[in-house]
Amino acid sequence: MNRKYRKTLIAGNWKMNKTPSETKVFLTALKTILPKGRWCDIALCVPSVCIPTAVRAMRETRVAIGAENCNANASGAYTGEIATNMLVDAGCKYVIIGHSERREMGETDAEVNAKVHAAMDAGLTPIVCCGETLEQRESGITEEWITMQIKLALRGITEDKVRKLAIAYEPIWAIGTGVTASPEQAEEVCQHIRTVVRKLFGSKNARATTIVYGGSMNEKNAFELLAQPDIDGGLIGGASLVPEKFVKIIEAANQPTV
Ligand code: PGA
């Protein structure tokens, strides 16, 4: 990470875990052990039904609440979907877009791009996800794949806007598997993402863009991953479900800029 030029972000992704009641219990516990320092931004992306509870519980804290998905349309006949202005009105600051689990359910690059635009227009910070499968890594096409995903996800985003989003590199083979990318592997791809952003938006913007790593990040491996120059934080699934583990990861982000 490099706090001189860009923000560090520690974001939880609860996925389809925790009820509103469980959210309340979690956040009560989290508040009592939350570090006071302000070395990083903290977000918790929770299931939509938990958003009101989470926003209420964390109102007086520095923990921002986010959603795990959104719809790109402003309103209308989209049964079961949630628009970005609804998320804003509910108190969300962040939204995860293009998570591999949603891409697996059929989300296309074009939809990801439309959602990024909708989220930014509404004033949300999108956490835009990309990542390769094990097969792609073993075939040696990781960089090409990531380049394509980033180019398509950020299509039409203007230079003044790109710093306001975060990018998450999440190798699919590392998500929920307990197999983490090594700090070197993660750094290599995060650095590559910054190069892609540089080519698209210029070096000042690339330097100011927050790029985080996700995929089995936990309280044990976080410090080493976050010590890498191009890893500006984490998107954390499993380990964000336990207050003590999540706090340890926040604490691991408290290190001098390299
Ligand atoms: P994990 O999930 O930390 O449980 O691997 C990360 C994610 O999918 O965002």
Side-chain angles (χ1 to χ4, degrees):
M1 61 184 128
N2 189 328
R3 262 197 295 279
K4 192 169 161 207
Y5 296 116
R6 48 192 178 258
K7 285 182 176 174
T8 303
L9 171 66
I10 300 296
N13 173 14
W14 278 7
K15 311 191 178 187
M16 200 170 74
N17 293 294
K18 294 197 192 292
T19 61
S21 317
E22 289 165 348
T23 300
K24 215 168 171 180
V25 173
F26 175 98
L27 294 174
T28 305
L30 180 68
K31 274 201 270 191
T32 63
I33 57 170
L34 201 61
K36 300 257 177 304
R38 292 189 171 264
W39 52 84
C40 63
D41 287 353
I42 306 170
L44 271 175
C45 299
V46 303
S48 5
V49 291
C50 302
I51 290 170
T53 310
V55 168
R56 216 172 302 125
M58 301 319 271
R59 193 161 280 156
E60 305 296 317
T61 75
R62 51 196 280 268
V63 178
I65 301 305
E68 300 175 9
N69 182 32
C70 64
N71 189 285
N73 296 285
S75 63
Y78 304 100
T79 303
E81 293 292 287
I82 301 176
T84 52
N85 67 333
M86 298 174 187
L87 296 176
V88 171
D89 193 63
C92 283
K93 300 276 185 250
Y94 289 84
V95 58
I96 298 171
I97 297 176
H99 191 282
S100 59
E101 286 154 16
R102 296 215 59 88
R103 292 180 190 258
E104 182 77 15
M105 291 177 224
E107 190 171 72
T108 64
D109 287 306
E111 280 163 348
V112 169
N113 179 242
K115 289 180 185 194
V116 172
H117 280 276
M120 297 200 87
D121 290 348
L124 292 165
T125 299
I127 303 174
V128 185
C129 302
C130 62
E132 81 288 359
T133 62
L134 189 58
E135 197 185 355
Q136 288 166 332
R137 173 161 283 264
E138 286 172 348
S139 311
I141 59 163
T142 299
E143 291 202 351
E144 287 90 336
W145 180 256
I146 298 291
T147 304
M148 184 200 72
Q149 282 190 319
I150 295 296
K151 280 188 174 172
L152 293 174
L154 304 188
R155 216 173 139 197
I157 297 294
T158 50
E159 273 192 26
D160 56 311
K161 276 195 178 165
V162 69
R163 300 164 177 233
K164 294 183 186 135
L165 53 77
I167 297 173
Y169 167 54
E170 297 207 308
I172 294 169
W173 47 272
I175 294 177
T177 56
V179 182
T180 323
S182 69
E184 295 73 27
Q185 281 173 323
E187 167 63 17
E188 193 181 13
V189 181
C190 288
Q191 197 181 80
H192 173 70
I193 293 170
R194 204 174 303 286
T195 306
V196 175
V197 174
R198 185 176 303 122
K199 284 184 186 149
L200 294 171
F201 303 100
S203 52
K204 268 195 185 157
N205 286 315
R207 205 170 59 179
T209 301
T210 297
I211 301 173
V212 307
Y213 167 79
S216 299
M217 188 187 267
N218 59 37
E219 70 287 4
K220 296 189 186 84
N221 58 32
F223 188 90
E224 234 192 315
L225 285 160
L226 296 170
Q228 303 301 312
D230 288 286
I231 301 181
D232 305 313
L235 183 56
I236 301 119
S240 74
L241 296 169
V242 182
E244 292 75 15
K245 291 187 181 179
F246 191 56
V247 162
K248 282 202 176 121
I249 298 172
I250 295 167
E251 282 165 350
N254 185 17
Q255 37 181 304
T257 282
V258 285

